[in-house]
Amino acid sequence: MTSNVTLVLGLCFAVLSLFFYKYLDNVDIKPERGIIDSWTNFIKPPEKQFQKLAVGINSNVDIIVSGVALLNALKILPGKRENKNVLSNFNDLQETFAFYFARGSAAERPFTDQPIYQKIIETAETLNHVEHFIGGNAALMAKKASSLFPSLSINFVGPVGPLLERLMPKAVKIPPTCRIPKDEVHLIMEYKVGEQWGNLSAPVANRFITSHDESNSKIVMLEAYFESIKTFQPDLILLSGLNIMDGQSPEFFDERLEKMVSLLQDVPSSVPVHLELASMANEDFVRQIIEEVLPHGVSSLGLNEQELALVARVGGWSNHAPVPLSDQKALPNVDSLGLNEQEIVFSSKSLNGPHHDHFDDYNGQPEIYKISDIMLWILQKYGKSSNHPSSRLSRIHFHSLTYHIVGVRDTAWSNVDKATAAGTQVAGLQACDIPNLKEDLVELKIPSRFKLFSGDKEKDFDPHNPVISWRRDDFFFVFSPVLVCRHPVKTVGLGDAISATGLMYSQFHS
């Protein structure tokens, strides 16, 4: 009798323990742990992967330093905060760096005065913890794609000096015509979250980039890039570098942009072309890119949140309504568009799109529904749909510090949810410089409740199901949060790594 009672009590204790620990698992598990586990089981490459990748046309050596340490060494103190399109002197550097440092927003500006820029570089080289790294959107995307898929054949075209050639992966093919005698050097001024510069404090970790170069700013490798495509015959084209022309004259910009448009005409429609934009300050230049390049053979475009907002401002928008075909100047032949939080807001501002006034008071991460509104507007205005059957634009990948959204026409792209998750996962991995995510090194920064579009009801976020998908009109959207690195090692190149990862995990249907 006693043994039976003992057995029953033991079984009861075991059952209660099982429920107790199961309860603790559900209640006490960190949301970061739930997201990491979900991604691990969820992310898979597409059934048919890209085999031959052509990447161009900007590249350089990045000198990465502490922005605050460099300014202190130059005896530059915070003062007026003002966004300058180009930098001509120390005062322009102080005002523009302060403008973005206080917002925690990434930015890139050309430096017009070569002697002053050279003095800044020489001072940077004297600091502690100076790093030399592969730079340029195209070179960084080639590097990331090479590491993700070692069997991928990559042909890279861009200005490559002696140091950059040593830094580039050996698996990436670089034609002899790309060699230049002296490396182009860009300055990456990084800062950490909470870092102080005088009376200013950075709300998030980010970077400010400035440069003075000839090869990239005049996109001298443009013709060589398209010539190499003819012989290489890729099944995916990644194109970037237009942003480096920000400091050029309107006449020069017009001439080189027109040349790019003409060269794009020779790209077969079966090969997707991805155009990666980066931080730009000239609204007219952004407007020209959107209105002239997108309608002429680009399959994919990459931008950040500032660029997307600038796009929307230039183009005009009204209450989510599809843009009538009669209002279109031209229909784009692009398959994919990529943006980050700075670029998307600036693009909307330039095109007079949804929430175009957000750029002027932009501080931190834009609300999720605002980004979805702008993405839907771009897809409606420029994308392939029943209203625009001849357009090729069928994909937008928005990436920011805290979340990503990918919008597609899913007859053209598949594996979209896995690609979105892969892009968000690599952001934390690269920022922390770790092979596997750990919940104590990263944190979830999106709100616990949010709405997906204007007018929608707020939804609760479930960390055990972090990849959210939905349909709106003719388009399919996917959302996934970023696990933000608590103590980032590098912020530069994250957008390029994200865009390359998202594309390589996507499958295109021509």
Side-chain angles (χ1 to χ4, degrees):
M1 181 68 177
T2 303
S3 61
N4 290 338
V5 171
T6 302
L7 178 61
V8 170
L9 290 174
L11 289 172
C12 291
F13 178 78
V15 171
L16 288 172
S17 297
L18 178 63
F19 280 109
F20 177 74
Y21 285 110
K22 186 71 174 177
Y23 172 79
L24 285 182
D25 285 344
N26 290 333
V27 172
D28 295 339
I29 188 171
K30 289 184 176 181
E32 290 82 3
R33 181 73 259 164
I35 294 171
I36 292 170
D37 292 342
S38 175
W39 283 344
T40 301
N41 298 322
F42 184 74
I43 297 173
K44 293 179 176 61
E47 293 181 2
K48 183 180 180 182
Q49 299 179 13
F50 295 111
Q51 301 298 314
K52 300 181 70 177
L53 174 63
V55 190
I57 49 179
N58 64 323
S59 55
N60 58 270
V61 171
D62 280 343
I63 295 181
I64 306 174
V65 299
S66 162
V68 172
L70 175 59
L71 293 171
N72 288 338
L74 292 167
K75 296 181 171 52
I76 298 177
L77 301 176
K80 183 179 179 182
R81 284 177 269 172
E82 186 173 334
N83 182 24
K84 301 291 182 67
N85 289 359
V86 296
L87 310 180
S88 303
N89 48 53
F90 289 136
N91 189 59
D92 289 346
L93 175 62
Q94 177 270 308
E95 292 181 358
T96 309
F97 181 86
F99 180 86
Y100 287 101
F101 179 85
R103 294 180 170 207
S105 179
E108 183 171 352
R109 295 292 181 268
F111 215 103
T112 59
D113 191 297
Q114 196 278 334
I116 294 180
Y117 182 74
Q118 186 59 37
K119 181 180 179 180
I120 294 172
I121 293 299
E122 290 171 357
T123 303
E125 293 282 16
T126 68
L127 300 175
N128 296 326
H129 311 298
V130 179
E131 296 182 81
H132 297 84
F133 201 68
I134 294 172
N137 307 94
L140 287 166
M141 287 192 291
K143 177 180 182 294
K144 176 53 66 174
S146 176
S147 66
L148 283 174
F149 298 95
S151 63
L152 180 67
S153 179
I154 303 175
N155 188 70
F156 174 79
V157 174
V160 179
L163 177 55
L164 179 58
E165 186 171 4
R166 293 196 297 270
L167 293 173
M168 288 290 285
K170 300 302 180 185
V172 175
K173 179 184 177 182
I174 303 173
T177 53
C178 294
R179 269 64 173 189
I180 58 174
K182 184 180 179 181
D183 287 285
E184 299 285 15
V185 175
H186 291 199
L187 179 64
I188 316 299
M189 302 170 63
E190 293 197 324
Y191 49 86
K192 300 176 181 177
V193 58
E195 188 167 1
Q196 294 289 135
W197 180 44
N199 62 344
L200 300 180
S201 177
V204 299
N206 223 317
R207 81 280 182 189
F208 182 84
I209 304 174
T210 185
S211 62
H212 178 93
D213 67 34
E214 293 295 324
S215 301
N216 292 298
S217 64
K218 296 179 180 178
I219 55 173
V220 298
M221 296 292 174
L222 178 64
E223 288 83 359
Y225 175 65
F226 280 94
E227 191 63 32
S228 72
I229 288 174
K230 295 177 182 178
T231 55
F232 183 62
Q233 296 187 337
D235 54 10
L236 174 62
I237 293 173
L238 301 187
L239 178 62
S240 71
L242 294 181
N243 58 295
I244 309 298
M245 291 198 294
D246 220 10
Q248 298 292 339
S249 68
E251 294 77 18
F252 182 86
F253 189 89
D254 288 347
E255 178 186 342
R256 297 305 280 162
L257 196 66
E258 183 178 349
K259 183 62 178 179
M260 176 179 286
V261 167
S262 68
L263 292 170
L264 283 167
Q265 302 307 301
D266 296 331
V267 177
S269 60
S270 60
V271 180
V273 181
H274 178 86
L275 176 61
E276 183 74 14
L277 294 187
S279 179
M280 298 183 73
N282 190 310
E283 292 186 20
D284 290 334
F285 288 178
V286 172
R287 183 185 299 109
Q288 286 178 257
I289 291 171
I290 299 303
E291 294 183 346
E292 296 178 29
V293 177
L294 293 193
H296 295 92
V298 177
S299 305
S300 170
L301 175 60
L303 315 111
N304 66 22
E305 73 273 15
Q306 184 196 28
E307 293 162 353
L308 179 54
L310 181 52
V311 168
R313 181 181 175 185
V314 171
W317 175 74
S318 176
N319 298 325
H320 299 3
V323 180
L325 186 61
S326 59
D327 292 346
Q328 303 299 309
K329 293 182 179 179
L331 292 175
N333 293 318
V334 303
D335 298 305
S336 171
L337 168 66
L339 322 94
N340 75 18
E341 71 269 21
Q342 182 193 24
E343 295 151 357
I344 194 171
V345 175
F346 194 43
S347 298
S348 184
K349 178 182 179 181
S350 297
L351 290 167
N352 197 34
H355 314 293
H356 62 263
D357 55 348
H358 181 70
F359 176 73
D360 295 325
D361 59 0
Y362 165 68
N363 189 7
Q365 295 295 292
E367 293 173 271
I368 292 167
Y369 76 89
K370 291 182 179 179
I371 297 303
S372 297
D373 288 347
I374 298 174
M375 290 176 65
L376 179 61
W377 170 80
I378 293 177
L379 287 167
Q380 289 174 335
K381 184 174 178 65
Y382 296 103
K384 184 176 182 62
S385 67
S386 56
N387 291 328
H388 311 146
S390 61
S391 170
R392 282 178 55 182
L393 178 62
S394 54
R395 176 181 182 268
I396 296 179
H397 182 177
F398 166 79
H399 47 87
S400 74
L401 177 69
T402 59
Y403 64 91
H404 294 184
I405 303 175
V406 176
V408 303
R409 184 138 179 119
D410 52 4
T411 54
W413 297 90
S414 58
N415 211 49
V416 181
D417 48 359
K418 277 77 172 178
T420 307
T424 50
Q425 182 187 57
V426 81
L429 290 171
Q430 181 153 317
C432 287
D433 194 22
I434 51 178
N436 298 293
L437 291 175
K438 299 179 180 179
E439 63 265 34
D440 57 333
L441 299 179
V442 294
E443 60 182 322
L444 180 67
K445 286 195 169 185
I446 63 167
S448 59
R449 290 178 59 83
F450 53 84
K451 53 186 178 180
L452 299 173
F453 283 99
S454 293
D456 285 358
K457 294 182 179 180
E458 288 191 339
K459 299 179 181 293
D460 291 316
F461 175 72
D462 179 6
H464 298 284
N465 296 284
V467 183
I468 305 170
S469 61
W470 68 96
R471 292 187 181 276
R472 182 61 60 102
D473 295 345
D474 295 327
F475 304 101
F476 178 68
F477 290 84
V478 180
F479 166 95
S480 184
V482 172
L483 291 180
V484 181
C485 185
R486 294 178 183 270
H487 305 288
V489 177
K490 284 188 178 70
T491 61
V492 67
L494 280 180
D496 305 304
I498 288 163
S499 288
T501 302
L503 280 165
M504 293 308 302
Y505 274 84
S506 299
Q507 184 170 336
F508 176 70
H509 308 278
S510 61

